Amino acid sequence: MPRTDEAAAFFYAVYSAIQEVPHGKVTSYGHVAKLIGAPQRPRQVGVCLKHLSGDPSSRFNNSNVPWQRVINARGVISPRAIPSGVTSQANALRAEGVTVDANTMGELMVDLGEFGWFPRVLPSEAGPDMTAPGPENNGD
């Protein structure tokens, strides 16, 4: 189904923002939404990732958008329809040197204090000294 121009622009913004998350770091769906100017739309960030193409000829695809670096605000890898997806995401993060452990509920999670990436603005949009995390940027 074709996307509206607005939806296509949102997908583009989400994928472009996620491409800026550094290797070995993670951020939250909510923080991606905040960085692209849509703080009320973290679930839609997840929808974009759900629909990320596996076709390497697509402008944005699962080899050039580091989808594994986006987790929920609690540091947990979000469950999905395909149960192996959580394990795949954990393995992709571990391959980048991110520690992924199971919590008491059996959820796979990442320590946001150690591996979290929550800049005030995207590096591509920042001037000097604007990307340092602030106390208000706690992974929402």
Side-chain angles (χ1 to χ4, degrees):
M1 172 177 4
R3 294 185 182 134
T4 65
D5 289 345
E6 180 183 0
F10 187 80
F11 274 69
Y12 184 94
V14 167
Y15 295 152
S16 295
I18 292 169
Q19 286 179 321
E20 296 193 46
V21 180
H23 181 91
K25 294 292 184 181
V26 298
T27 196
S28 69
Y29 300 99
H31 198 72
V32 171
K34 180 191 263 185
L35 288 171
I36 65 169
Q40 73 285 9
R41 298 178 70 187
R43 288 181 188 255
Q44 286 78 11
V45 170
V47 169
C48 291
L49 288 172
K50 178 181 178 181
H51 294 286
L52 182 61
S53 177
D55 180 356
S57 67
S58 294
R59 165 76 171 89
F60 296 108
N61 61 71
N62 61 14
S63 65
N64 68 14
V65 176
W67 56 271
Q68 71 275 13
R69 297 178 190 159
V70 184
I71 60 178
N72 77 27
R74 295 184 305 121
V76 174
I77 296 175
S78 297
R80 48 194 46 95
I82 302 168
S84 63
V86 172
T87 303
S88 295
Q89 186 170 2
N91 289 339
L93 288 170
R94 288 178 179 127
E96 293 188 12
V98 176
T99 302
V100 180
D101 294 313
N103 65 15
T104 56
M105 300 290 291
E107 299 168 311
L108 295 178
M109 61 185 312
V110 173
D111 179 350
L112 294 177
E114 183 175 354
F115 297 103
W117 183 78
F118 302 103
R120 290 185 183 105
V121 296
L122 288 165
S124 63
E125 298 175 359
D129 300 325
M130 287 189 65
T131 58
E136 72 282 0
N137 293 323
N138 60 1
D140 38 41

